[in-house]
Amino acid sequence: MANLRRLRESNDALDDPEEIRRRVADDGYVFIRGLQDRDKLLSLRHDVMTVMMDGGWLVNGTNVMDGIAELSTRCTEGDGEYTDVYHRVYSLESFHRSGHWPEVMEMMEKVIGGEVLPHPQKIMRLWYPKYTDHTTPIHQDYVHFQGSYDTYTCWAPIGDCPIELGALAIVPGSHKIDAVMDHHFSLGAGALAIHENELEGQWHSADFEVGDSLIFHSLVVHQALPNLTEDRMRISLDNRYQSVDIPISEKMLIPHLSNLSSYDWDRVYADWKTDDLKYYWREYDLEVMARIDRWGAQGFEEALELARVGDAGAQHHLKRMIRRVPESPEAERAREALELKV
Ligand SMILES: O=C(O)CCC(=O)C(=O)O
Ligand SMILES: [Fe+2]
């Protein structure tokens, strides 16, 4: 990306929570080098890559820690094959525990300034190389996670993530608009994108080393950079945090991508060795908000329109949806839109 600037590092302010909050208020983010323990992240990397190897996503016989992708198995969020392996990863106790590591919780307490609720819905991204049509597009997290604006994402790669492997890029200060921007149909995680021409500001990113963490507000505009490597898998955490005192969306109380298959917490917990993180959020008296379907519904209408006029991305998206939920009313509408074209 031309004119990509470097994120400001905020390690100098770690002992000054007020200054951290000032930077978050001004820039919408703080970027902390080495926030998370390298050895714990590398151990998590081993757990995740082992599941991916078993699922056929890595080249047989290679070192799992290298994350060398088996390109013939490429898939992404929204594909049934993705969900199969992803939900095996999702059942790892070590993955969920990483969202509660003390170094992350202490940092989030500084950012939020009170008791912090890690969202039950943890998220990991498993991104193949040479698959850049499916890179996470430009968006604000609020359209996906809803609840309260004052929700923060902590994004961290599970392993080193130089820019070419697909680091996260943000537009500092873009949260100050204090509103959700228009989102349109797109391929890539979330399937909704802000159009670049509606944006002001500069893209910022960094070569991330394992442990480096980017924490940003739910209205900050961001995207993933494409994974331009020949053969490396990019894996990352994007977990969410908020004060226990503000509303949370019901969407964040269920496992990620559980709407795409029958998957629930009992299945997540099936092989866990400890109990302390099971249903941990139930001890709080949380205000739970109903999900808002507006953005997703509008994106779907746009996908139908685009498919009718021959847009390959929209057609791909709809075909995938038909495979996933063939009996749904949406699939019926998708079939109509696709047939109009042929
Ligand atoms: O890692 C990605 O590709 C997407 C991450 C993201 O959008 C987020 O953390 O909110
Ligand atoms: Fe995001």
Side-chain angles (χ1 to χ4, degrees), residues 24 27 42 118 135 154 176 179 201 236 274 279 327 341:
V24 172
D27 303 332
L42 291 178
T135 302
C154 179
K176 285 196 168 153
S236 56
T274 59
Y279 299 106
E327 307 301 332
K341 191 50 214 146

PDB file of all heavy atoms in Angstrom, residues 24 27 42 118 135 154 176 179 201 236 274 279 327 341:
ATOM      1  N   VAL A  24      -5.768   6.983  23.469  1.00  0.00           N
ATOM      2  CA  VAL A  24      -6.890   6.241  22.873  1.00  0.00           C
ATOM      3  C   VAL A  24      -7.979   7.228  22.449  1.00  0.00           C
ATOM      4  O   VAL A  24      -8.568   7.097  21.372  1.00  0.00           O
ATOM      5  CB  VAL A  24      -7.439   5.184  23.857  1.00  0.00           C
ATOM      6  CG1 VAL A  24      -8.724   4.559  23.320  1.00  0.00           C
ATOM      7  CG2 VAL A  24      -6.399   4.093  24.104  1.00  0.00           C
ATOM      8  N   ASP A  27      -6.283   9.259  19.268  1.00  0.00           N
ATOM      9  CA  ASP A  27      -5.896   8.503  18.059  1.00  0.00           C
ATOM     10  C   ASP A  27      -6.818   7.317  17.795  1.00  0.00           C
ATOM     11  O   ASP A  27      -6.790   6.742  16.710  1.00  0.00           O
ATOM     12  CB  ASP A  27      -4.467   7.947  18.213  1.00  0.00           C
ATOM     13  CG  ASP A  27      -3.461   9.057  18.479  1.00  0.00           C
ATOM     14  OD1 ASP A  27      -3.703  10.196  18.044  1.00  0.00           O
ATOM     15  OD2 ASP A  27      -2.433   8.780  19.141  1.00  0.00           O
ATOM     16  N   LEU A  42       3.674 -18.465  21.470  1.00  0.00           N
ATOM     17  CA  LEU A  42       4.260 -19.508  20.606  1.00  0.00           C
ATOM     18  C   LEU A  42       3.707 -20.882  20.957  1.00  0.00           C
ATOM     19  O   LEU A  42       3.505 -21.726  20.077  1.00  0.00           O
ATOM     20  CB  LEU A  42       5.787 -19.476  20.695  1.00  0.00           C
ATOM     21  CG  LEU A  42       6.414 -18.222  20.063  1.00  0.00           C
ATOM     22  CD1 LEU A  42       7.934 -18.231  20.220  1.00  0.00           C
ATOM     23  CD2 LEU A  42       6.041 -18.069  18.577  1.00  0.00           C
ATOM     24  N   PRO A 118     -13.917  -9.379  29.248  1.00  0.00           N
ATOM     25  CA  PRO A 118     -13.497  -9.901  27.937  1.00  0.00           C
ATOM     26  C   PRO A 118     -14.726 -10.536  27.290  1.00  0.00           C
ATOM     27  O   PRO A 118     -15.466 -11.267  27.940  1.00  0.00           O
ATOM     28  CB  PRO A 118     -12.474 -10.985  28.298  1.00  0.00           C
ATOM     29  CG  PRO A 118     -12.233 -10.885  29.773  1.00  0.00           C
ATOM     30  CD  PRO A 118     -13.412 -10.196  30.370  1.00  0.00           C
ATOM     31  N   THR A 135      -9.273 -11.025   1.746  1.00  0.00           N
ATOM     32  CA  THR A 135      -8.679 -10.252   2.842  1.00  0.00           C
ATOM     33  C   THR A 135      -9.760  -9.431   3.545  1.00  0.00           C
ATOM     34  O   THR A 135     -10.669  -8.915   2.885  1.00  0.00           O
ATOM     35  CB  THR A 135      -7.605  -9.295   2.266  1.00  0.00           C
ATOM     36  OG1 THR A 135      -6.634 -10.086   1.587  1.00  0.00           O
ATOM     37  CG2 THR A 135      -6.938  -8.494   3.360  1.00  0.00           C
ATOM     38  N   CYS A 154      -8.423  -6.044  20.731  1.00  0.00           N
ATOM     39  CA  CYS A 154      -6.986  -6.237  20.904  1.00  0.00           C
ATOM     40  C   CYS A 154      -6.549  -7.211  19.810  1.00  0.00           C
ATOM     41  O   CYS A 154      -6.907  -8.384  19.851  1.00  0.00           O
ATOM     42  CB  CYS A 154      -6.682  -6.790  22.295  1.00  0.00           C
ATOM     43  SG  CYS A 154      -4.925  -7.076  22.565  1.00  0.00           S
ATOM     44  N   LYS A 176     -13.351   9.462  15.560  1.00  0.00           N
ATOM     45  CA  LYS A 176     -13.876  10.748  16.051  1.00  0.00           C
ATOM     46  C   LYS A 176     -15.157  11.161  15.343  1.00  0.00           C
ATOM     47  O   LYS A 176     -15.863  12.055  15.814  1.00  0.00           O
ATOM     48  CB  LYS A 176     -12.819  11.833  15.903  1.00  0.00           C
ATOM     49  CG  LYS A 176     -11.744  11.688  16.960  1.00  0.00           C
ATOM     50  CD  LYS A 176     -10.935  12.935  17.077  1.00  0.00           C
ATOM     51  CE  LYS A 176     -10.072  12.874  18.326  1.00  0.00           C
ATOM     52  NZ  LYS A 176      -8.876  13.674  18.170  1.00  0.00           N
ATOM     53  N   ALA A 179     -19.753   7.892  14.786  1.00  0.00           N
ATOM     54  CA  ALA A 179     -20.915   7.303  14.104  1.00  0.00           C
ATOM     55  C   ALA A 179     -20.438   6.125  13.267  1.00  0.00           C
ATOM     56  O   ALA A 179     -19.247   6.000  12.985  1.00  0.00           O
ATOM     57  CB  ALA A 179     -21.557   8.338  13.184  1.00  0.00           C
ATOM     58  N   GLY A 201      -7.893  10.562   5.883  1.00  0.00           N
ATOM     59  CA  GLY A 201      -6.894  10.094   6.839  1.00  0.00           C
ATOM     60  C   GLY A 201      -5.918   9.139   6.199  1.00  0.00           C
ATOM     61  O   GLY A 201      -6.057   8.775   5.036  1.00  0.00           O
ATOM     62  N   SER A 236      -4.005 -14.940  13.710  1.00  0.00           N
ATOM     63  CA  SER A 236      -4.051 -13.794  14.629  1.00  0.00           C
ATOM     64  C   SER A 236      -5.261 -13.881  15.546  1.00  0.00           C
ATOM     65  O   SER A 236      -6.250 -14.552  15.249  1.00  0.00           O
ATOM     66  CB  SER A 236      -4.117 -12.495  13.823  1.00  0.00           C
ATOM     67  OG  SER A 236      -5.227 -12.541  12.957  1.00  0.00           O
ATOM     68  N   THR A 274     -10.036 -27.529  32.721  1.00  0.00           N
ATOM     69  CA  THR A 274     -10.384 -26.683  33.862  1.00  0.00           C
ATOM     70  C   THR A 274     -11.764 -26.058  33.630  1.00  0.00           C
ATOM     71  O   THR A 274     -12.272 -26.039  32.510  1.00  0.00           O
ATOM     72  CB  THR A 274      -9.370 -25.525  34.044  1.00  0.00           C
ATOM     73  OG1 THR A 274      -9.367 -24.744  32.858  1.00  0.00           O
ATOM     74  CG2 THR A 274      -7.974 -26.049  34.312  1.00  0.00           C
ATOM     75  N   TYR A 279     -18.446 -20.353  30.898  1.00  0.00           N
ATOM     76  CA  TYR A 279     -19.598 -19.471  31.180  1.00  0.00           C
ATOM     77  C   TYR A 279     -19.252 -18.398  32.213  1.00  0.00           C
ATOM     78  O   TYR A 279     -20.082 -18.008  33.021  1.00  0.00           O
ATOM     79  CB  TYR A 279     -20.788 -20.298  31.674  1.00  0.00           C
ATOM     80  CG  TYR A 279     -21.266 -21.318  30.672  1.00  0.00           C
ATOM     81  CD1 TYR A 279     -21.008 -22.677  30.847  1.00  0.00           C
ATOM     82  CD2 TYR A 279     -21.995 -20.934  29.554  1.00  0.00           C
ATOM     83  CE1 TYR A 279     -21.447 -23.623  29.919  1.00  0.00           C
ATOM     84  CE2 TYR A 279     -22.433 -21.875  28.618  1.00  0.00           C
ATOM     85  CZ  TYR A 279     -22.155 -23.208  28.809  1.00  0.00           C
ATOM     86  OH  TYR A 279     -22.594 -24.123  27.890  1.00  0.00           O
ATOM     87  N   GLU A 327     -31.839 -24.511   2.357  1.00  0.00           N
ATOM     88  CA  GLU A 327     -33.299 -24.458   2.528  1.00  0.00           C
ATOM     89  C   GLU A 327     -33.819 -23.088   2.949  1.00  0.00           C
ATOM     90  O   GLU A 327     -35.018 -22.901   3.108  1.00  0.00           O
ATOM     91  CB  GLU A 327     -33.747 -25.481   3.596  1.00  0.00           C
ATOM     92  CG  GLU A 327     -33.264 -26.910   3.378  1.00  0.00           C
ATOM     93  CD  GLU A 327     -33.729 -27.467   2.039  1.00  0.00           C
ATOM     94  OE1 GLU A 327     -34.785 -27.020   1.544  1.00  0.00           O
ATOM     95  OE2 GLU A 327     -33.003 -28.315   1.481  1.00  0.00           O
ATOM     96  N   LYS A 341     -28.836 -14.258 -14.221  1.00  0.00           N
ATOM     97  CA  LYS A 341     -27.600 -13.931 -14.937  1.00  0.00           C
ATOM     98  C   LYS A 341     -27.311 -14.919 -16.079  1.00  0.00           C
ATOM     99  O   LYS A 341     -26.768 -14.549 -17.108  1.00  0.00           O
ATOM    100  CB  LYS A 341     -26.456 -13.921 -13.903  1.00  0.00           C
ATOM    101  CG  LYS A 341     -25.162 -13.363 -14.349  1.00  0.00           C
ATOM    102  CD  LYS A 341     -25.312 -12.029 -14.998  1.00  0.00           C
ATOM    103  CE  LYS A 341     -24.275 -11.890 -16.100  1.00  0.00           C
ATOM    104  NZ  LYS A 341     -24.754 -11.116 -17.209  1.00  0.00           N
TER     105      LYS A 341
END
